Amino acid sequence: MTRFCKAILWRLFMSDPIDKLVARQRAYFRTGATWPAKFRLESLAKLADAIEGYERQLTEALGRDLRKSPAQAFSSEIGLVLNEIRHAKRHLRSWTKPTRRRVPPFAWPASGRVHREPYGVALVIGAWNYPVQLLLMPLVSAMAAGNCVILKPSEIAPNTAAAIGQMIRATFPPEYIAVVEGGPDAVTQLIACKLDMIFFTGSRRAGTSVMAAAAVHPTPVVLELGGKCPSVVCADAPLAVTARRIVWGKFLNAGQTCVAPDYVLVDRSIQGVFLDALKRAIVDFYGEDPSRSADYGRIVNRFHFDRLLQYLEFGQVSHGGRHNAEDLFLEPTIITDVPPHAGALHEEIFGPVLPICAFSDLGEAVSMIANRPTPLASYLFTNDRSIQSRFLAETRSGGVCFNDVVSHMVGTGLPFGGLGESGFGAYHGESGFECFSHRRAVLYRWFKPDLNLRYPPPKVSLKTMKRAFRYLMGG
C-alpha cells in the first residue's frame, strides 16, 4: 500500500477519534481539575508507580527495539525519568507560587506578580533513539505545569511505543493523558486540531515541518533537534581520560544519541597518541568483538544501517568497520583522513562512526565549528581556563561541556535545549516546568488615588514630561 493510500485511510478512519480526543482534553482542562498542586503531585506519583510497575515491559521493549541492555535501559532512560519525577515533586509547590515583580511609579499604588499557568492541551512528540526518556521527560514537565497531554511515541521504536501506550492507558484517563500511535500522518492530524503547545524531539527536517504546520493557528512550539556536536582535544588534555569519555559518549546507544560527539578535532601534535587511546578505550569497553558485548546496541533499522555504511567509503578506517546487516550491527568505528567534502564532516552521523581531524591551532578548530550549523552541544578538553573562555566566546551551541561529553544534559539543574539549527526552548527540572507554562503578568491596583496627570489633555509641557518620564516608567 502506498504512503498516499495510507494517509487517506488515516484521515477517513482516525480523524474523528483524534478530534474527539482533543476536544475531551480541552473540556477536561477547562474544568480546572489539573490546576491544583495537590492534583499534580498525586498524578506525578501515579506516573512514578506506573513506570516502576512496567519497568520489565519497558526494558524488554527497549531491548527489542535497540538491543539496549537492562543496565542501559535504566541508566539512560527509565532512571532519568524517575529522577525527574522526584525532583518535580520536591519543588513543585515553590515553582507554582506567583513571583513578585516591580511596578513603575506610573501605576502606583499597585503590585505586580507573574503567575505560571498551564497552556492547556500539550502535544509531546518523542524520538526513537531514547523512546522512553525523550517522551516521558517532557511529560513530567507538562504534568508538573498542569497541562493535559497527548503523547505521540515514535513508530520507529514500535515495541517501546506499544509498552508506553499500555502503561499510560492503564494509569490515566484519556481526557488527561493520552497516547496516539502512528506515523507522520498522525502528527499531521494532531497538529491540525489546534493544540495549545507542541514539544517535538527529532530530526531537523521533521521539526521544520512541525513548526510550519503549527504556525497555521499559531501554536507555541519547542523543538529539540540535533546537529554535528564537535569535540576539541587540546595538547594539554590527559589523553587516557579524554579518550574514555569521548568513547563512552560517542558509542552509547550505538552512537544514536543527539548529543554524542559527532566528530573530533585534535591537536596535530598528539593525534597519533590520541588515536591509540581511543582504540584502547573501545576494546576496554566492548572487547575485541563488540558484537558479543551485552553493553553495545544495534542500529534501529535497515535504512539507517545502510545510511551509516556510506560514511565508511570516504577516508581511512583506522579502527572497526566490521558490520552485519542481518543483525543491524556496526562496530564502533574511527575514520581518519576524511576529505573535506565528505558527508561525515557535514551531515549528522547519528551512529557509531567517529571522524577524527587534526588542527594546528585553536583558531583553526574554532573556525571549523563556527562555519557549520549551530550544534546541540560542543565539547572542549583542556585545563587552560583562557582557552575555555575563548571557546565560549567564539563558538555557539545549545550547551557546552568542558572535559566531558553528554553529562550536561543529565540531571535537573541545567536547562537542556538547542540553539539555531539545533532547535529552541529548553527543559529538565524547573526549566521544563517553565517550558510548559505561560508566564501571565498580573497587576493589582487600587482605585484611589486616581491622579489626573495621565489623562488627556496634557497637564504639563512636553519638556516637563520628558524629564519625568524616566522616573514614572521606572527606567
Side-chain angles (χ1 to χ4, degrees), residues 148-284:
C148 294
V149 188
I150 298 174
L151 298 172
K152 168 55 184 71
S154 173
E155 72 281 5
I156 298 176
N159 295 290
T160 309
I164 290 176
Q166 182 182 3
M167 179 186 74
I168 294 296
R169 293 182 187 108
T171 307
F172 299 108
E175 60 267 25
Y176 175 40
I177 310 292
V179 176
V180 172
E181 298 179 50
D185 298 313
V187 175
T188 301
Q189 192 74 15
L190 283 162
I191 296 176
C193 291
K194 195 178 179 180
L195 302 160
D196 299 307
M197 193 267 188
I198 299 172
F199 188 103
F200 171 84
T201 303
S203 70
R204 188 179 305 164
R205 178 183 56 80
T208 301
S209 299
V210 167
M211 186 168 64
V216 173
H217 297 304
T219 304
V221 176
V222 171
L223 298 181
E224 297 293 345
L225 311 178
K228 290 191 71 65
C229 300
S231 291
V232 178
V233 181
C234 297
D236 70 312
L239 296 188
V241 174
T242 299
R244 289 171 64 85
R245 292 180 180 178
I246 290 177
V247 166
W248 169 77
K250 174 61 181 178
F251 300 112
L252 176 70
N253 198 31
Q256 299 165 120
T257 303
C258 58
V259 290
D262 212 60
Y263 63 103
V264 175
L265 304 175
V266 59
D267 190 289
R268 195 176 305 277
S269 66
I270 59 170
Q271 182 180 13
V273 182
F274 177 66
L275 281 171
D276 291 339
L278 287 175
K279 296 171 186 177
R280 284 195 298 272
I282 291 172
V283 174
D284 286 347

Side-chain angles (χ1 to χ4, degrees), residues 281-292:
I282 291 172
V283 174
D284 286 347
F285 292 174
Y286 305 114
E288 295 289 347
D289 184 1
S291 68
R292 298 178 178 274

Side-chain angles (χ1 to χ4, degrees), residues 21 26 34 45 73 121 126 150 153 164 189 206 209 215 266 274 291 342 349 353 368 395 405 416 429 469:
L21 172 63
R26 183 161 285 115
T34 66
V121 178
I150 298 174
I164 290 176
Q189 192 74 15
S209 299
V266 59
F274 177 66
S291 68
I349 294 174
V353 178
M368 289 181 66
T395 65
V405 299
F416 173 66
F469 196 80

